[in-house]
Amino acid sequence: MSSGRQARVAEAVRAAVADYLILNLANSTPGFISVSKAKMSPDLKIANVYFTIYGNEKDIAFSFKTLEKRKASVRIHVGREVPLKYVPELRFFID
């Protein structure tokens, strides 16, 4: 069962990742990427972020590969936007 704090932090992480996509990846990927949800571990150190990627299979693969390559910079952005003691490890999944 997730606590209220987990839900609030998950929403803040989801918003920060979406903000990063708008600022940095809008023109870099051929597929349209939408952040559908985020789930936090009970200790708030791991964030599972779920994406919906629209496009053909090639566009989806390229867009997801681009996300994985930029995971470190996405994490830095999340650390700046979400005030937590530890910046959560990001794990990306296609929804």
Coordinates of all heavy atoms in Angstrom, one line a residue:
M1 N 0.8 -1.2 0.0 CA 0.0 0.0 0.0 C 0.9 1.2 0.0 O 1.9 1.3 0.7 CB -0.9 0.0 1.2 CG -1.8 1.2 1.3 SD -2.7 1.4 2.8 CE -3.8 0.0 2.7
S2 N 0.6 2.2 -0.8 CA 1.4 3.4 -0.9 C 0.9 4.4 0.1 O -0.3 4.6 0.3 CB 1.5 3.9 -2.3 OG 0.3 4.7 -2.6
S3 N 1.8 5.1 0.7 CA 1.4 6.2 1.6 C 1.1 7.5 0.9 O 1.4 7.6 -0.3 CB 2.5 6.4 2.6 OG 3.6 7.0 2.0
G4 N 0.6 8.4 1.6 CA 0.3 9.7 1.0 C 1.5 10.4 0.5 O 1.6 11.1 -0.5
R5 N 2.6 10.3 1.3 CA 3.9 10.9 0.9 C 4.4 10.3 -0.4 O 4.9 11.0 -1.3 CB 4.9 10.8 2.0 CG 6.2 11.5 1.6 CD 7.0 12.0 2.8 NE 8.0 12.9 2.4 CZ 9.3 12.7 2.5 NH1 9.7 11.6 3.1 NH2 10.2 13.5 2.1
Q6 N 4.3 9.0 -0.5 CA 4.8 8.3 -1.7 C 4.0 8.8 -2.9 O 4.6 9.1 -4.0 CB 4.6 6.8 -1.6 CG 5.6 6.0 -0.9 CD 5.3 4.6 -0.8 OE1 4.4 4.2 -0.1 NE2 6.0 3.8 -1.6
A7 N 2.7 9.0 -2.8 CA 1.9 9.5 -3.9 C 2.3 10.9 -4.3 O 2.4 11.3 -5.5 CB 0.5 9.4 -3.5
R8 N 2.5 11.8 -3.3 CA 2.9 13.2 -3.5 C 4.3 13.2 -4.2 O 4.5 14.0 -5.2 CB 2.9 14.0 -2.3 CG 1.6 14.3 -1.7 CD 1.6 15.3 -0.6 NE 2.6 15.0 0.5 CZ 2.4 14.3 1.5 NH1 1.2 13.8 1.7 NH2 3.3 14.1 2.4
V9 N 5.2 12.5 -3.7 CA 6.6 12.5 -4.3 C 6.5 11.9 -5.7 O 7.2 12.4 -6.7 CB 7.6 11.7 -3.4 CG1 8.9 11.5 -4.1 CG2 7.8 12.4 -2.1
A10 N 5.7 10.8 -5.9 CA 5.6 10.2 -7.3 C 5.0 11.2 -8.3 O 5.5 11.3 -9.4 CB 4.7 9.0 -7.2
E11 N 4.1 12.0 -7.8 CA 3.5 13.0 -8.7 C 4.5 14.1 -9.0 O 4.6 14.6 -10.2 CB 2.2 13.6 -8.1 CG 1.6 14.7 -8.9 CD 1.2 14.3 -10.4 OE1 1.0 13.1 -10.6 OE2 1.3 15.2 -11.3
A12 N 5.3 14.5 -8.0 CA 6.3 15.5 -8.3 C 7.4 15.0 -9.2 O 7.9 15.8 -10.1 CB 6.9 16.0 -6.9
V13 N 7.8 13.8 -9.1 CA 8.8 13.2 -10.0 C 8.2 13.1 -11.4 O 8.9 13.4 -12.3 CB 9.2 11.8 -9.4 CG1 10.1 11.0 -10.5 CG2 10.1 11.9 -8.2
R14 N 7.0 12.6 -11.5 CA 6.4 12.6 -12.8 C 6.3 13.9 -13.5 O 6.7 14.1 -14.7 CB 4.9 12.0 -12.7 CG 4.3 11.7 -14.1 CD 2.8 11.7 -14.0 NE 2.2 13.0 -13.6 CZ 2.2 14.1 -14.5 NH1 2.6 14.0 -15.7 NH2 1.6 15.2 -14.1
A15 N 6.0 15.0 -12.8 CA 5.9 16.3 -13.3 C 7.3 16.8 -13.7 O 7.5 17.4 -14.7 CB 5.3 17.3 -12.3
A16 N 8.3 16.5 -12.9 CA 9.7 16.9 -13.2 C 10.2 16.2 -14.4 O 10.9 16.8 -15.3 CB 10.6 16.7 -12.0
V17 N 9.9 14.9 -14.6 CA 10.4 14.2 -15.8 C 9.7 14.8 -17.0 O 10.3 15.0 -18.1 CB 10.1 12.7 -15.6 CG1 10.4 11.9 -16.9 CG2 11.0 12.1 -14.5
A18 N 8.4 15.0 -16.9 CA 7.6 15.6 -18.0 C 8.2 17.0 -18.4 O 8.3 17.3 -19.6 CB 6.1 15.7 -17.7
D19 N 8.5 17.7 -17.4 CA 9.1 19.1 -17.6 C 10.4 18.9 -18.4 O 10.7 19.7 -19.3 CB 9.3 19.8 -16.3 CG 9.8 21.2 -16.5 OD1 9.3 21.9 -17.3 OD2 10.8 21.5 -15.8
Y20 N 11.3 17.9 -18.0 CA 12.5 17.7 -18.7 C 12.3 17.3 -20.2 O 13.0 17.8 -21.0 CB 13.3 16.6 -18.0 CG 14.6 16.3 -18.7 CD1 15.8 17.0 -18.4 CD2 14.7 15.3 -19.7 CE1 17.0 16.8 -19.0 CE2 15.9 15.1 -20.3 CZ 17.0 15.8 -20.0 OH 18.2 15.6 -20.7
L21 N 11.3 16.5 -20.4 CA 11.0 16.1 -21.8 C 10.6 17.3 -22.6 O 11.0 17.4 -23.8 CB 9.9 15.1 -21.8 CG 10.2 13.7 -21.2 CD1 8.9 12.8 -21.3 CD2 11.3 13.0 -21.9
I22 N 9.8 18.2 -22.1 CA 9.4 19.4 -22.8 C 10.5 20.3 -23.1 O 10.7 20.8 -24.2 CB 8.3 20.1 -22.0 CG1 7.0 19.3 -22.0 CG2 8.0 21.5 -22.6 CD1 6.0 19.8 -21.0
L23 N 11.4 20.5 -22.1 CA 12.5 21.4 -22.3 C 13.7 20.8 -23.1 O 14.3 21.6 -23.9 CB 13.1 21.8 -20.9 CG 12.2 22.6 -20.0 CD1 12.8 22.7 -18.6 CD2 11.9 23.9 -20.6
N24 N 13.9 19.5 -23.1 CA 15.1 19.0 -23.7 C 14.9 18.0 -24.8 O 15.8 17.8 -25.6 CB 16.0 18.4 -22.6 CG 16.4 19.4 -21.6 OD1 17.1 20.4 -21.9 ND2 16.0 19.3 -20.4
L25 N 13.8 17.3 -24.8 CA 13.7 16.2 -25.8 C 12.5 16.4 -26.8 O 12.3 15.5 -27.6 CB 13.4 14.8 -25.1 CG 14.6 14.2 -24.3 CD1 14.2 12.9 -23.7 CD2 15.8 14.1 -25.2
A26 N 11.9 17.5 -26.8 CA 10.7 17.7 -27.6 C 11.1 17.5 -29.1 O 10.3 17.0 -29.8 CB 10.1 19.1 -27.4
N27 N 12.2 18.0 -29.5 CA 12.6 17.9 -30.9 C 13.6 16.8 -31.2 O 14.0 16.7 -32.4 CB 13.1 19.3 -31.4 CG 12.1 20.3 -31.3 OD1 10.9 20.1 -31.5 ND2 12.5 21.5 -31.0
S28 N 14.0 16.1 -30.2 CA 15.1 15.1 -30.4 C 14.6 13.7 -30.7 O 15.3 12.9 -31.1 CB 15.9 15.0 -29.1 OG 16.5 16.2 -28.8
T29 N 13.3 13.5 -30.5 CA 12.8 12.1 -30.7 C 11.6 12.2 -31.7 O 10.8 13.1 -31.7 CB 12.2 11.5 -29.4 OG1 11.2 12.4 -28.9 CG2 13.4 11.3 -28.4
P30 N 11.6 11.1 -32.6 CA 10.5 11.1 -33.6 C 9.2 10.8 -33.1 O 8.1 11.2 -33.6 CB 11.0 10.1 -34.6 CG 11.9 9.2 -33.8 CD 12.5 10.0 -32.8
G31 N 9.1 10.0 -32.0 CA 7.8 9.6 -31.4 C 7.4 10.6 -30.4 O 8.2 11.4 -29.8
F32 N 6.1 10.7 -30.2 CA 5.5 11.5 -29.1 C 5.6 10.8 -27.8 O 5.1 9.7 -27.7 CB 4.0 11.9 -29.5 CG 3.4 12.7 -28.4 CD1 3.7 14.1 -28.3 CD2 2.5 12.2 -27.6 CE1 3.1 14.8 -27.3 CE2 1.9 12.9 -26.6 CZ 2.1 14.2 -26.5
I33 N 6.2 11.4 -26.8 CA 6.4 10.7 -25.5 C 5.5 11.4 -24.5 O 5.5 12.7 -24.3 CB 7.9 10.8 -25.1 CG1 8.8 10.2 -26.1 CG2 8.1 10.1 -23.7 CD1 10.2 10.4 -25.8
S34 N 4.8 10.6 -23.7 CA 4.0 11.1 -22.6 C 4.3 10.3 -21.3 O 4.5 9.1 -21.4 CB 2.5 10.9 -23.0 OG 1.7 11.2 -21.9
V35 N 4.5 11.1 -20.2 CA 4.8 10.4 -19.0 C 3.4 10.0 -18.4 O 2.6 10.9 -18.0 CB 5.5 11.3 -18.0 CG1 5.9 10.6 -16.7 CG2 6.8 11.8 -18.7
S36 N 3.1 8.7 -18.3 CA 1.8 8.3 -17.8 C 1.7 8.3 -16.3 O 0.7 8.7 -15.7 CB 1.4 7.0 -18.4 OG 2.4 6.1 -18.4
K37 N 2.7 7.8 -15.6 CA 2.7 7.7 -14.1 C 4.1 7.4 -13.6 O 5.0 7.1 -14.3 CB 1.7 6.6 -13.7 CG 2.1 5.2 -14.1 CD 1.0 4.2 -13.6 CE 1.3 2.9 -14.3 NZ 0.3 1.9 -14.0
A38 N 4.2 7.6 -12.3 CA 5.4 7.3 -11.6 C 5.0 6.6 -10.3 O 4.0 6.9 -9.7 CB 6.3 8.5 -11.3
K39 N 5.8 5.6 -9.9 CA 5.6 4.9 -8.6 C 6.9 4.9 -7.8 O 8.0 4.7 -8.4 CB 5.2 3.5 -8.9 CG 3.8 3.3 -9.5 CD 3.5 1.9 -9.6 CE 2.1 1.7 -10.2 NZ 1.7 0.3 -10.3
M40 N 6.8 5.2 -6.6 CA 8.0 5.3 -5.7 C 8.1 4.1 -4.8 O 7.1 3.5 -4.4 CB 7.9 6.6 -4.8 CG 7.8 7.9 -5.5 SD 9.2 8.2 -6.5 CE 10.5 8.2 -5.3
S41 N 9.3 3.7 -4.5 CA 9.5 2.7 -3.5 C 9.2 3.2 -2.1 O 9.1 4.4 -1.9 CB 11.0 2.2 -3.6 OG 11.8 3.2 -3.2
P42 N 8.9 2.3 -1.1 CA 8.6 2.8 0.2 C 9.6 3.8 0.8 O 9.3 4.7 1.6 CB 8.4 1.6 1.0 CG 8.1 0.5 0.0 CD 8.8 0.9 -1.2
D43 N 10.9 3.6 0.5 CA 12.0 4.4 1.1 C 12.2 5.6 0.2 O 13.1 6.4 0.5 CB 13.2 3.6 1.3 CG 13.9 3.1 0.0 OD1 13.3 3.2 -1.0 OD2 14.9 2.4 0.1
L44 N 11.5 5.8 -0.9 CA 11.6 7.0 -1.8 C 12.9 7.0 -2.5 O 13.3 8.1 -3.0 CB 11.3 8.3 -1.1 CG 10.0 8.4 -0.4 CD1 9.9 9.8 0.3 CD2 8.8 8.2 -1.3
K45 N 13.7 5.9 -2.6 CA 15.0 5.9 -3.3 C 14.9 5.4 -4.7 O 15.9 5.5 -5.5 CB 16.0 5.2 -2.5 CG 16.3 5.9 -1.2 CD 17.5 5.2 -0.5 CE 17.8 6.0 0.8 NZ 18.9 5.4 1.5
I46 N 13.8 4.8 -5.1 CA 13.7 4.3 -6.5 C 12.3 4.8 -7.0 O 11.3 4.7 -6.4 CB 13.7 2.8 -6.5 CG1 15.0 2.3 -6.0 CG2 13.4 2.3 -7.9 CD1 15.1 0.8 -5.8
A47 N 12.4 5.4 -8.3 CA 11.2 5.8 -8.9 C 11.0 5.0 -10.2 O 11.9 5.1 -11.1 CB 11.3 7.3 -9.2
N48 N 9.9 4.3 -10.4 CA 9.6 3.7 -11.6 C 8.7 4.6 -12.4 O 7.6 5.0 -12.0 CB 8.8 2.4 -11.3 CG 9.7 1.4 -10.6 OD1 10.9 1.3 -10.8 ND2 9.1 0.6 -9.8
V49 N 9.2 5.1 -13.6 CA 8.5 6.0 -14.4 C 8.0 5.3 -15.6 O 8.8 4.7 -16.3 CB 9.4 7.2 -14.8 CG1 8.7 8.3 -15.5 CG2 10.1 7.8 -13.5
Y50 N 6.7 5.5 -15.9 CA 6.1 4.8 -17.0 C 5.8 5.8 -18.1 O 5.2 6.9 -17.8 CB 4.8 4.1 -16.6 CG 5.1 3.0 -15.6 CD1 5.2 3.3 -14.2 CD2 5.3 1.7 -16.0 CE1 5.5 2.3 -13.3 CE2 5.5 0.7 -15.1 CZ 5.6 1.0 -13.7 OH 5.9 0.0 -12.8
F51 N 6.1 5.5 -19.4 CA 5.9 6.3 -20.5 C 5.0 5.7 -21.5 O 5.0 4.5 -21.7 CB 7.3 6.6 -21.2 CG 8.3 7.3 -20.4 CD1 9.2 6.6 -19.7 CD2 8.3 8.7 -20.4 CE1 10.2 7.3 -18.9 CE2 9.2 9.4 -19.7 CZ 10.2 8.7 -18.9
T52 N 4.2 6.5 -22.2 CA 3.5 6.1 -23.4 C 4.2 6.8 -24.6 O 4.3 8.0 -24.5 CB 2.0 6.5 -23.3 OG1 1.5 5.9 -22.1 CG2 1.3 6.0 -24.5
I53 N 4.6 6.0 -25.5 CA 5.3 6.5 -26.7 C 4.5 6.2 -27.9 O 4.2 5.0 -28.2 CB 6.7 5.9 -26.8 CG1 7.5 6.2 -25.6 CG2 7.4 6.6 -28.0 CD1 8.9 5.6 -25.5
Y54 N 4.1 7.2 -28.7 CA 3.3 7.1 -29.9 C 4.2 7.1 -31.1 O 5.1 7.9 -31.2 CB 2.2 8.2 -29.9 CG 1.3 8.2 -28.8 CD1 1.5 9.0 -27.7 CD2 0.2 7.3 -28.7 CE1 0.6 9.0 -26.6 CE2 -0.7 7.3 -27.6 CZ -0.5 8.1 -26.6 OH -1.3 8.1 -25.5
G55 N 3.9 6.2 -32.0 CA 4.6 6.2 -33.3 C 4.8 4.7 -33.7 O 4.3 3.8 -33.0
N56 N 5.5 4.5 -34.7 CA 5.8 3.1 -35.2 C 6.8 2.5 -34.3 O 7.4 3.1 -33.4 CB 6.1 3.0 -36.7 CG 7.4 3.8 -37.0 OD1 8.3 3.9 -36.2 ND2 7.4 4.5 -38.2
E57 N 7.1 1.2 -34.5 CA 8.0 0.4 -33.6 C 9.4 1.0 -33.7 O 10.1 1.1 -32.6 CB 8.1 -1.0 -34.1 CG 6.8 -1.8 -33.8 CD 6.5 -1.9 -32.3 OE1 7.4 -2.1 -31.5 OE2 5.3 -1.8 -31.9
K58 N 9.9 1.5 -34.8 CA 11.2 2.1 -34.9 C 11.3 3.4 -34.1 O 12.3 3.6 -33.4 CB 11.5 2.4 -36.4 CG 12.9 2.9 -36.7 CD 13.1 3.1 -38.2 CE 14.4 3.7 -38.4 NZ 14.6 4.0 -39.9
D59 N 10.2 4.2 -34.2 CA 10.2 5.5 -33.4 C 10.2 5.2 -31.9 O 10.8 5.9 -31.1 CB 9.0 6.3 -33.8 CG 9.1 6.9 -35.2 OD1 10.2 6.8 -35.8 OD2 8.0 7.3 -35.7
I60 N 9.4 4.2 -31.5 CA 9.3 3.8 -30.1 C 10.6 3.4 -29.6 O 11.1 3.8 -28.5 CB 8.2 2.8 -29.9 CG1 6.8 3.4 -30.2 CG2 8.3 2.2 -28.5 CD1 5.7 2.4 -30.2
A61 N 11.3 2.5 -30.3 CA 12.6 2.0 -29.9 C 13.6 3.1 -29.8 O 14.4 3.2 -28.8 CB 13.1 0.9 -30.9
F62 N 13.7 4.0 -30.8 CA 14.6 5.1 -30.8 C 14.3 6.1 -29.6 O 15.3 6.5 -28.9 CB 14.6 5.9 -32.1 CG 15.5 7.0 -32.2 CD1 16.9 6.8 -32.4 CD2 15.1 8.3 -32.0 CE1 17.8 7.9 -32.5 CE2 16.0 9.4 -32.0 CZ 17.3 9.1 -32.3
S63 N 13.1 6.4 -29.4 CA 12.7 7.3 -28.3 C 13.1 6.7 -27.0 O 13.6 7.4 -26.1 CB 11.2 7.6 -28.4 OG 10.9 8.3 -29.6
F64 N 12.8 5.4 -26.8 CA 13.1 4.8 -25.5 C 14.6 4.7 -25.3 O 15.1 5.0 -24.2 CB 12.5 3.4 -25.4 CG 12.6 2.9 -24.0 CD1 11.7 3.4 -23.0 CD2 13.4 1.8 -23.7 CE1 11.8 2.9 -21.7 CE2 13.5 1.3 -22.4 CZ 12.7 1.8 -21.4
K65 N 15.4 4.5 -26.3 CA 16.8 4.4 -26.2 C 17.4 5.8 -25.9 O 18.3 5.9 -25.1 CB 17.4 3.9 -27.6 CG 18.9 3.6 -27.5 CD 19.5 3.2 -28.8 CE 18.8 2.0 -29.4 NZ 19.4 1.6 -30.7
T66 N 16.8 6.8 -26.5 CA 17.2 8.2 -26.2 C 16.9 8.5 -24.7 O 17.7 9.2 -24.0 CB 16.5 9.2 -27.1 OG1 16.7 8.9 -28.4 CG2 16.9 10.6 -26.8
L67 N 15.8 8.1 -24.2 CA 15.5 8.3 -22.8 C 16.5 7.6 -21.9 O 17.0 8.2 -20.9 CB 14.1 7.8 -22.4 CG 12.9 8.6 -22.8 CD1 11.6 7.8 -22.6 CD2 12.8 9.9 -22.0
E68 N 16.8 6.4 -22.2 CA 17.8 5.6 -21.4 C 19.2 6.3 -21.4 O 19.8 6.4 -20.4 CB 17.9 4.2 -21.9 CG 16.7 3.3 -21.5 CD 16.6 3.0 -20.0 OE1 17.7 3.0 -19.4 OE2 15.5 2.8 -19.6
K69 N 19.6 6.9 -22.6 CA 20.9 7.5 -22.7 C 20.9 8.8 -21.8 O 21.9 9.1 -21.3 CB 21.1 7.9 -24.1 CG 21.6 6.8 -25.0 CD 21.9 7.3 -26.4 CE 22.2 6.2 -27.4 NZ 22.4 6.7 -28.7
R70 N 19.8 9.5 -21.7 CA 19.7 10.7 -21.0 C 19.2 10.6 -19.5 O 18.9 11.5 -18.9 CB 18.8 11.7 -21.7 CG 19.3 12.0 -23.1 CD 19.2 13.4 -23.4 NE 19.6 13.7 -24.8 CZ 19.1 14.7 -25.5 NH1 18.3 15.5 -24.9 NH2 19.6 14.9 -26.7
K71 N 19.2 9.3 -19.0 CA 18.7 9.1 -17.7 C 19.5 9.9 -16.6 O 18.9 10.4 -15.7 CB 18.8 7.6 -17.4 CG 18.2 7.2 -16.1 CD 18.3 5.7 -15.8 CE 17.4 4.9 -16.7 NZ 17.4 3.5 -16.3
A72 N 20.8 10.0 -16.8 CA 21.6 10.8 -15.8 C 21.1 12.2 -15.7 O 21.0 12.8 -14.6 CB 23.0 10.6 -16.0
S73 N 21.0 12.8 -16.9 CA 20.6 14.3 -16.9 C 19.1 14.4 -16.5 O 18.8 15.5 -15.8 CB 20.8 14.9 -18.3 OG 20.1 14.2 -19.3
V74 N 18.3 13.5 -16.7 CA 16.9 13.5 -16.2 C 16.9 13.5 -14.7 O 16.2 14.2 -14.0 CB 16.0 12.3 -16.8 CG1 14.7 12.3 -16.1 CG2 15.9 12.4 -18.3
R75 N 17.8 12.6 -14.1 CA 17.9 12.5 -12.7 C 18.4 13.8 -12.0 O 17.9 14.2 -11.0 CB 18.8 11.3 -12.3 CG 18.8 11.0 -10.9 CD 19.6 9.8 -10.5 NE 19.5 9.5 -9.1 CZ 20.4 8.8 -8.4 NH1 21.4 8.3 -9.1 NH2 20.3 8.7 -7.2
I76 N 19.4 14.4 -12.7 CA 19.8 15.7 -12.2 C 18.7 16.7 -12.2 O 18.5 17.5 -11.2 CB 21.0 16.2 -13.1 CG1 22.2 15.3 -12.8 CG2 21.3 17.7 -12.8 CD1 23.4 15.5 -13.8
H77 N 17.9 16.8 -13.2 CA 16.8 17.7 -13.3 C 15.8 17.4 -12.2 O 15.3 18.3 -11.6 CB 16.1 17.6 -14.7 CG 15.0 18.6 -14.8 ND1 15.2 19.9 -15.1 CD2 13.6 18.4 -14.8 CE1 14.0 20.5 -15.2 NE2 13.1 19.6 -15.0
V78 N 15.5 16.1 -12.0 CA 14.6 15.7 -10.9 C 15.1 16.2 -9.5 O 14.4 16.7 -8.7 CB 14.3 14.2 -10.9 CG1 13.6 13.8 -9.6 CG2 13.5 13.8 -12.1
G79 N 16.4 16.0 -9.3 CA 17.0 16.5 -8.1 C 16.9 18.0 -7.9 O 16.8 18.4 -6.7
R80 N 16.9 18.7 -8.9 CA 16.8 20.2 -8.8 C 15.3 20.6 -8.5 O 15.1 21.6 -7.9 CB 17.3 20.9 -10.1 CG 18.7 20.8 -10.3 CD 19.2 21.5 -11.5 NE 20.6 21.4 -11.7 CZ 21.2 21.3 -12.9 NH1 20.5 21.4 -14.0 NH2 22.5 21.1 -13.0
E81 N 14.4 19.8 -9.1 CA 13.0 20.2 -9.0 C 12.3 19.7 -7.8 O 11.3 20.3 -7.3 CB 12.3 19.7 -10.3 CG 12.7 20.4 -11.6 CD 12.4 21.8 -11.6 OE1 11.3 22.2 -11.2 OE2 13.3 22.6 -12.1
V82 N 12.7 18.5 -7.3 CA 12.0 17.8 -6.2 C 12.9 17.9 -5.0 O 13.9 17.3 -5.0 CB 11.6 16.4 -6.6 CG1 10.8 15.7 -5.5 CG2 10.8 16.3 -7.9
P83 N 12.4 18.5 -3.9 CA 13.3 18.7 -2.7 C 13.2 17.4 -1.9 O 12.3 17.2 -1.0 CB 12.6 19.9 -2.0 CG 11.2 19.9 -2.4 CD 11.2 19.3 -3.8
L84 N 14.2 16.5 -2.1 CA 14.3 15.3 -1.3 C 15.8 15.2 -0.8 O 16.7 15.7 -1.4 CB 14.0 14.1 -2.2 CG 12.6 13.9 -2.6 CD1 12.5 12.7 -3.6 CD2 11.7 13.6 -1.5
K85 N 15.9 14.4 0.3 CA 17.3 14.2 0.8 C 18.1 13.4 -0.2 O 19.3 13.7 -0.4 CB 17.2 13.5 2.1 CG 18.5 13.3 2.8 CD 18.4 12.7 4.2 CE 19.7 12.6 4.9 NZ 19.6 12.1 6.2
Y86 N 17.5 12.4 -0.8 CA 18.2 11.6 -1.8 C 17.4 11.7 -3.1 O 16.2 11.5 -3.1 CB 18.2 10.1 -1.4 CG 18.9 9.8 -0.1 CD1 18.2 9.6 1.1 CD2 20.3 9.8 0.0 CE1 18.9 9.4 2.3 CE2 21.0 9.6 1.1 CZ 20.2 9.4 2.3 OH 20.9 9.2 3.5
V87 N 18.1 11.9 -4.2 CA 17.5 11.9 -5.5 C 17.3 10.4 -5.9 O 18.2 9.6 -5.9 CB 18.4 12.6 -6.6 CG1 17.8 12.6 -7.9 CG2 18.8 14.0 -6.2
P88 N 16.0 10.1 -6.2 CA 15.7 8.7 -6.5 C 16.4 8.2 -7.8 O 16.6 8.9 -8.7 CB 14.2 8.7 -6.6 CG 13.8 10.1 -6.9 CD 14.8 11.0 -6.3
E89 N 16.7 6.9 -7.8 CA 17.2 6.2 -9.0 C 16.0 6.1 -9.9 O 14.9 5.7 -9.5 CB 17.7 4.8 -8.6 CG 18.0 4.0 -9.8 CD 18.3 2.5 -9.4 OE1 18.6 2.2 -8.2 OE2 18.1 1.7 -10.2
L90 N 16.1 6.4 -11.2 CA 15.0 6.4 -12.1 C 15.1 5.1 -12.9 O 16.1 4.7 -13.4 CB 15.1 7.6 -13.1 CG 15.0 8.9 -12.4 CD1 15.2 10.0 -13.5 CD2 13.7 9.1 -11.7
R91 N 14.0 4.4 -13.0 CA 13.8 3.2 -13.8 C 12.7 3.5 -14.8 O 11.6 3.9 -14.4 CB 13.5 2.0 -13.0 CG 14.6 1.7 -12.1 CD 14.3 0.4 -11.2 NE 15.4 0.2 -10.3 CZ 15.3 -0.7 -9.4 NH1 14.2 -1.4 -9.2 NH2 16.4 -0.9 -8.6
F92 N 13.0 3.4 -16.1 CA 12.0 3.7 -17.1 C 11.3 2.5 -17.7 O 12.0 1.5 -17.9 CB 12.7 4.5 -18.3 CG 13.2 5.8 -17.9 CD1 14.3 6.4 -18.6 CD2 12.7 6.6 -16.8 CE1 14.8 7.6 -18.3 CE2 13.2 7.8 -16.5 CZ 14.3 8.3 -17.2
F93 N 10.0 2.6 -17.9 CA 9.3 1.5 -18.5 C 8.3 2.0 -19.5 O 7.8 3.2 -19.4 CB 8.4 0.8 -17.4 CG 9.3 0.2 -16.3 CD1 9.5 0.8 -15.1 CD2 9.8 -1.1 -16.5 CE1 10.3 0.3 -14.1 CE2 10.6 -1.7 -15.5 CZ 10.8 -1.0 -14.3
I94 N 8.0 1.3 -20.6 CA 7.0 1.6 -21.5 C 5.7 1.1 -21.0 O 5.6 -0.1 -20.7 CB 7.3 1.1 -22.9 CG1 8.6 1.7 -23.5 CG2 6.2 1.3 -23.9 CD1 9.1 1.2 -24.8
D95 N 4.7 2.0 -21.0 CA 3.4 1.6 -20.4 C 2.5 1.0 -21.5 O 2.5 1.4 -22.6 CB 2.7 2.9 -19.8 CG 1.6 2.6 -19.0 OD1 1.5 1.4 -18.5 OD2 0.8 3.5 -18.8

